[in-house]
Amino acid sequence: MTKVRTRCSFFLPGTLDRRWTARMAKEGTSMSPLIPVPVSAQDRSLCAAADVLRRAGDKWSVLLMAVLAERPYGFNELDRAVDGLSRRILTRTLRALVRDGLVNRIPSPGPAARVDYSLSDLGRSFLPLIIAVGRWAEDHEHEIRNARARHDADNDAC
């Protein structure tokens, strides 16, 4: 049975409007304005945004997309371009990116078994969002490190 993805309420326009904030203040509630609470396992599994964020959050997908943004690469070229990535994981990650439509797999005609990979139009449309998250991470790196250090120090004291 195929799961049908639904539009979840993550980041929908108008979710953080003044009416919601006023209602929360009036009612004294702490409900999330981004998602309906409680969140069920089915809500999580059917949410298209969560699905995309899982892909972007895996260890190698974003890195491979950034490499492929420059130009098409053959499998062996990608293998050499990314240090520490096993061929098995490279294969699995490329298959997932191709399946999601973020990367194109282009077999070359002829007797040679060459396959090139390139970023698809869908992948290119996703790239600015990835870059924005990367810039945000760089801009806030110092704050994040400080927060982690404070947290670790507080937990070590216990």
Side-chain angles (χ1 to χ4, degrees), residues 56 58-69 81-83 85 130:
D58 81 23
K59 188 172 181 178
W60 301 105
S61 291
V62 171
L63 179 62
L64 288 173
M65 289 177 64
V67 170
L68 292 171
V82 182
D83 190 37
L85 175 59
I130 293 169

Side-chain angles (χ1 to χ4, degrees), residues 7-157:
R7 223 179 144 184
C8 59
S9 60
F10 290 177
F11 316 116
L12 293 180
T15 54
L16 288 176
D17 63 17
R18 289 186 191 138
R19 288 171 293 171
W20 181 267
T21 306
R23 188 175 127 210
M24 285 176 50
K26 182 179 177 184
E27 295 175 2
T29 64
S30 60
M31 291 176 53
S32 171
L34 295 177
I35 58 174
V37 178
V39 180
S40 71
Q42 183 178 13
D43 291 338
R44 286 191 320 273
S45 70
L46 295 178
C47 180
D51 188 42
V52 170
L53 291 171
R54 276 190 292 276
R55 168 68 49 231
D58 81 23
K59 188 172 181 178
W60 301 105
S61 291
V62 171
L63 179 62
L64 288 173
M65 289 177 64
V67 170
L68 292 171
E70 297 297 319
R71 64 175 179 85
Y73 279 79
F75 181 86
N76 289 329
E77 287 179 296
L78 280 172
D79 185 38
R80 289 187 299 270
V82 182
D83 190 37
L85 175 59
S86 72
R87 293 174 72 86
R88 178 176 167 268
I89 298 300
L90 174 59
T91 299
R92 290 177 61 187
T93 304
L94 286 170
R95 283 182 184 158
L97 290 168
V98 168
R99 181 174 183 257
D100 288 346
L102 299 170
V103 168
N104 296 318
R105 181 182 186 276
I106 308 148
S108 297
R114 179 176 171 88
V115 175
D116 284 323
Y117 295 91
S118 66
L119 204 55
S120 68
D121 290 341
L122 185 61
R124 287 197 185 285
S125 73
F126 190 40
L127 206 52
L129 301 172
I130 293 169
I131 291 168
V133 169
R135 286 187 179 138
W136 180 90
E138 288 175 355
D139 291 346
H140 297 281
E141 180 180 13
H142 187 70
E143 295 167 72
I144 293 168
R145 287 180 192 264
N146 286 342
R148 286 176 181 166
R150 281 192 309 275
H151 177 271
D152 293 348
D154 291 346
N155 286 329
D156 287 345

